[in-house]
Amino acid sequence: MLTRTLPRALCVIGALATISVACSSAPEAVSPQPTAVAEAESPADAGLLRVNVGMILNSAAPTADRDARLAEVFAIAADAQELGVDVNLETVTIDDLDDVASSVRTLVNRGVTVIATSCDDSSMPAVVDSAIEAQLLAVTGCVTIPRPDLAMSSRLFIDLAGLNDSPQALARWASIEDFTNAAVISSELIPDVSNTCTDIVGALDEVDIALAATATFTGLVDDAESVVASIAEPLAEADAIVVCALAPSLGDVVFSLRAAGFEQPIMVPWFGDAQRWPQDTSDVFIFATASRYGDDPLPAVQALFDQVDDPEAVDIVAADTVAILANVADAAGSVGSRRLADTIRTTTSAVVSGALTIDATNSVTEQRAYRLLEVIDGQPVFRTLITEDGLVQVPE
């Protein structure tokens, strides 16, 4: 169950019957209270521990609507799961980045011990820095492109919304399929996308899959047909093709590949799940965090998507974050920020999508079970799960 305080902009959204809602829009003038070793003594219903999670929503950001949606997904996820700990979301709305520090103080006064970032890349660094300065646990709450570099050594920062292990999932499947080489076509429009493709090249090398050809282009600028033509000769020798680009550039490249007669399997990273495919598109494989098409193999995933309007595969990451925080609070018997942070790093947590642990860099989730989706006649269809150890497992 999740209770929350939402900004006025969200008050028009109908609240679930089990969620109490209050609205606020301006930071309160308060002094911070120590939270690093807070004991488990919150007044949650039915004697449950309560993890108070804060989120700062920037109403001036281009992602404002997406941030509002993220808060709703957090609420639905907490209500849909049978958690042994209550998760309470407290939000503060700002319209100026100078208000971040005072907003953190407001959230501290409300008993918050965890701050989850929104989807606004402009405010993420300030939110994380201010949270850590206040001795709160800072976690990423939204899977977003682009995002700033939040890598840091603080024990009070954990990247729960990073999908940095997605290239390994793609490479594992390519290895299972016995591909000997692959061609890689990458958009350089956004560094995050380009970096993902660079990581895929490295992951393929780790499983001894050679690079048959490479091409880079600027999405929405360069002509996809010309990009494909520029590597046509080596492309013909590739067992498979990787395309790293955001929609709609992704669809343009795939169309140009097929129009030029290249029939190899096409592999697409997680962000390719946003692409809408023509009905004649087949043999395209997407590596996603969940299947939003009504056929995910885990009932809990499907139960969540049944309650979310226009579900996205990455919604499952928000649901997993709620589960992680509840699980580690239960294991630690505390909602203190440092105790939560330390327990997250020593606990494999059963979440909605599978099981997750955190690696030594404090910023990478491991053991995420990625879904392999195959596009058949324009429709993505779930095929199998790909796990961290390289085995393909499908629940019975």
Side-chain angles (χ1 to χ4, degrees), residues 186-207:
S186 175
S187 169
E188 294 183 318
L189 181 64
I190 297 177
D192 302 57
V193 174
S194 179
N195 292 340
T196 296
C197 222
T198 298
D199 292 342
I200 288 174
V201 170
L204 291 172
D205 181 65
E206 289 177 2
V207 293

Side-chain angles (χ1 to χ4, degrees), residues 94-304:
I94 63 172
D95 57 16
D96 192 311
L97 295 185
D98 290 340
D99 293 331
V100 167
S102 60
S103 296
V104 170
R105 292 194 294 271
T106 296
L107 292 169
V108 168
N109 193 56
R110 296 180 188 174
V112 163
T113 57
V114 181
I115 296 281
T117 62
S118 69
C119 304
D120 174 31
D121 63 298
S122 66
S123 65
M124 279 186 194
V127 168
V128 171
D129 290 345
S130 294
I132 293 173
E133 185 176 355
Q135 294 297 293
L136 304 177
L137 170 60
V139 302
T140 49
C142 179
V143 181
T144 183
I145 291 178
R147 62 184 281 172
D149 183 7
L150 298 173
M152 56 184 64
S153 59
S154 173
R155 297 291 291 175
L156 288 174
F157 172 72
I158 300 177
D159 184 5
L160 294 183
L163 299 179
N164 303 316
D165 57 351
S166 61
Q168 283 71 33
L170 183 151
R172 289 180 202 122
W173 182 74
S175 178
I176 290 169
E177 290 295 298
D178 290 328
F179 297 147
T180 60
N181 60 28
V184 178
I185 301 175
S186 175
S187 169
E188 294 183 318
L189 181 64
I190 297 177
D192 302 57
V193 174
S194 179
N195 292 340
T196 296
C197 222
T198 298
D199 292 342
I200 288 174
V201 170
L204 291 172
D205 181 65
E206 289 177 2
V207 293
D208 296 324
I209 296 178
L211 202 58
T214 61
T216 58
F217 70 102
T218 302
L220 303 177
V221 175
D222 292 336
D223 178 66
E225 184 177 352
S226 299
V227 173
V228 172
S230 69
I231 56 169
E233 185 173 344
L235 200 58
E237 303 301 320
D239 292 337
I241 303 170
V242 178
V243 181
C244 292
L246 299 178
S249 296
L250 170 61
D252 294 340
V253 173
V254 171
F255 175 83
S256 296
L257 285 166
R258 295 300 190 230
F262 297 105
E263 299 179 353
Q264 300 101 315
I266 296 175
M267 299 182 289
V268 177
W270 63 269
F271 43 77
D273 192 38
Q275 178 70 50
R276 294 180 179 272
W277 304 100
Q279 289 186 355
D280 59 351
T281 304
S282 292
D283 293 324
V284 174
F285 298 87
I286 307 167
F287 299 82
T289 53
S291 175
R292 58 189 176 94
Y293 304 100
D295 60 355
D296 195 278
L298 300 187
V301 173
Q302 190 54 49
L304 176 72

